[in-house]
Short mmCIF file of all heavy atoms in Angstrom, two decimals:
data_model
loop_
_atom_site.label_atom_id
_atom_site.label_comp_id
_atom_site.label_asym_id
_atom_site.label_seq_id
_atom_site.Cartn_x
_atom_site.Cartn_y
_atom_site.Cartn_z
N LEU A 22 203.46 150.04 158.74
CA LEU A 22 201.99 150.03 158.97
C LEU A 22 201.33 151.43 158.60
O LEU A 22 200.28 151.39 157.92
CB LEU A 22 201.61 149.79 160.48
CG LEU A 22 200.20 149.96 160.91
CD1 LEU A 22 199.31 148.95 160.35
CD2 LEU A 22 200.13 149.93 162.56
N LYS A 35 195.60 146.47 160.33
CA LYS A 35 195.10 147.30 161.46
C LYS A 35 196.16 147.57 162.41
O LYS A 35 197.20 146.88 162.59
CB LYS A 35 194.05 146.39 162.22
CG LYS A 35 192.73 146.08 161.40
CD LYS A 35 192.12 147.30 160.69
CE LYS A 35 190.79 146.93 160.11
NZ LYS A 35 190.48 147.73 158.87
N PHE A 36 195.89 148.67 163.26
CA PHE A 36 196.69 149.02 164.41
C PHE A 36 196.07 148.40 165.61
O PHE A 36 194.88 148.70 165.85
CB PHE A 36 196.88 150.53 164.42
CG PHE A 36 197.39 151.02 165.74
CD1 PHE A 36 198.77 150.91 166.06
CD2 PHE A 36 196.48 151.58 166.72
CE1 PHE A 36 199.28 151.39 167.30
CE2 PHE A 36 197.08 152.00 167.96
CZ PHE A 36 198.46 151.88 168.16
N GLY A 37 196.85 147.79 166.55
CA GLY A 37 196.30 147.37 167.68
C GLY A 37 197.19 147.67 168.93
O GLY A 37 196.70 147.85 170.05
N CYS A 38 198.59 147.80 168.73
CA CYS A 38 199.43 147.99 169.85
C CYS A 38 200.67 148.83 169.47
O CYS A 38 201.21 149.47 170.36
CB CYS A 38 199.84 146.67 170.43
SG CYS A 38 201.00 145.75 169.50
N GLY A 39 201.15 148.68 168.24
CA GLY A 39 202.34 149.39 167.82
C GLY A 39 203.62 148.84 168.54
O GLY A 39 204.69 149.57 168.38
N ALA A 40 203.47 147.69 169.07
CA ALA A 40 204.67 147.12 169.84
C ALA A 40 204.89 145.68 169.52
O ALA A 40 205.49 144.91 170.37
CB ALA A 40 204.53 147.48 171.26
N ALA A 41 204.39 145.12 168.42
CA ALA A 41 204.51 143.73 168.09
C ALA A 41 203.96 142.84 169.16
O ALA A 41 204.51 141.82 169.43
CB ALA A 41 206.04 143.39 167.75
N LEU A 42 202.86 143.30 169.80
CA LEU A 42 202.29 142.45 170.84
C LEU A 42 200.94 141.88 170.53
O LEU A 42 200.44 140.96 171.23
CB LEU A 42 202.09 143.34 172.06
CG LEU A 42 203.36 143.92 172.81
CD1 LEU A 42 202.98 145.10 173.71
CD2 LEU A 42 204.10 142.79 173.49
N CYS A 43 200.32 142.31 169.46
CA CYS A 43 198.91 141.89 169.17
C CYS A 43 198.68 141.24 167.91
O CYS A 43 197.62 140.63 167.69
CB CYS A 43 197.99 143.06 169.43
SG CYS A 43 197.84 144.20 168.00
N GLY A 44 199.53 141.54 166.94
CA GLY A 44 199.33 140.88 165.52
C GLY A 44 198.30 141.41 164.67
O GLY A 44 198.11 141.09 163.47
N ALA A 45 197.65 142.57 165.13
CA ALA A 45 196.58 143.18 164.22
C ALA A 45 197.18 143.71 162.89
O ALA A 45 196.50 143.78 161.89
CB ALA A 45 195.92 144.30 164.88
N CYS A 46 198.43 143.99 162.93
CA CYS A 46 199.11 144.68 161.76
C CYS A 46 199.92 143.67 160.89
O CYS A 46 200.69 144.13 160.11
CB CYS A 46 200.21 145.76 162.33
SG CYS A 46 201.48 144.86 163.22
N THR A 47 199.65 142.48 161.04
CA THR A 47 200.36 141.44 160.39
C THR A 47 200.29 141.44 158.79
O THR A 47 199.18 141.58 158.29
CB THR A 47 199.98 140.01 160.84
OG1 THR A 47 200.07 139.93 162.19
CG2 THR A 47 200.89 138.93 160.19
N ARG A 56 205.19 141.77 161.66
CA ARG A 56 204.35 142.86 162.20
C ARG A 56 204.72 144.16 161.64
O ARG A 56 205.96 144.63 161.89
CB ARG A 56 204.57 142.84 163.82
CG ARG A 56 204.46 141.52 164.48
CD ARG A 56 203.12 140.97 164.42
NE ARG A 56 203.06 139.66 165.23
CZ ARG A 56 202.44 138.63 164.95
NH1 ARG A 56 201.71 138.56 163.81
NH2 ARG A 56 202.42 137.58 165.71
N SER A 57 203.88 144.71 160.87
CA SER A 57 204.25 145.94 160.18
C SER A 57 204.34 147.24 161.09
O SER A 57 204.80 148.20 160.71
CB SER A 57 203.20 146.33 159.04
OG SER A 57 201.93 146.55 159.57
N CYS A 58 203.86 147.06 162.35
CA CYS A 58 203.96 148.26 163.25
C CYS A 58 205.27 148.53 163.85
O CYS A 58 205.51 149.61 164.36
CB CYS A 58 202.92 148.06 164.45
SG CYS A 58 203.40 146.79 165.63
N THR A 59 206.19 147.52 163.76
CA THR A 59 207.56 147.71 164.34
C THR A 59 208.64 147.62 163.19
O THR A 59 209.76 147.54 163.49
CB THR A 59 207.89 146.66 165.47
OG1 THR A 59 207.48 145.35 165.07
CG2 THR A 59 207.10 147.06 166.69
N GLY A 128 200.59 135.17 168.77
CA GLY A 128 201.00 136.55 168.74
C GLY A 128 199.72 137.46 168.34
O GLY A 128 199.92 138.63 168.23
N MET B 363 190.08 145.91 170.59
CA MET B 363 191.34 145.84 169.67
C MET B 363 191.41 147.14 168.80
O MET B 363 192.55 147.54 168.55
CB MET B 363 191.21 144.59 168.74
CG MET B 363 191.58 143.34 169.52
SD MET B 363 193.13 143.39 170.40
CE MET B 363 194.30 143.60 169.00
N ASN B 696 200.45 148.82 177.78
CA ASN B 696 200.22 148.09 176.47
C ASN B 696 199.97 146.67 176.89
O ASN B 696 199.85 146.24 177.99
CB ASN B 696 201.46 148.30 175.60
CG ASN B 696 200.99 148.12 174.11
OD1 ASN B 696 200.18 147.35 173.70
ND2 ASN B 696 201.62 148.98 173.23
N PHE B 697 199.86 145.72 175.89
CA PHE B 697 199.46 144.41 176.06
C PHE B 697 200.55 143.49 176.78
O PHE B 697 200.42 142.48 177.09
CB PHE B 697 199.03 143.70 174.85
CG PHE B 697 197.75 144.15 174.26
CD1 PHE B 697 197.63 144.70 172.96
CD2 PHE B 697 196.59 144.13 175.04
CE1 PHE B 697 196.43 145.20 172.42
CE2 PHE B 697 195.44 144.69 174.57
CZ PHE B 697 195.33 145.13 173.26
S1 FES C 801 199.89 146.64 165.97
FE1 FES C 801 201.57 145.49 165.40
S2 FES C 801 201.52 143.83 166.66
FE2 FES C 801 199.93 145.06 167.49
#
Side-chain angles (χ1 to χ4, degrees):
Chain A
L22 171 67
K35 301 304 190 211
F36 166 75
C38 69
L42 294 165
C43 79
C46 65
T47 305
R56 310 299 184 215
S57 65
C58 69
T59 48
Chain B
M363 283 313 293
N696 208 320
F697 291 122

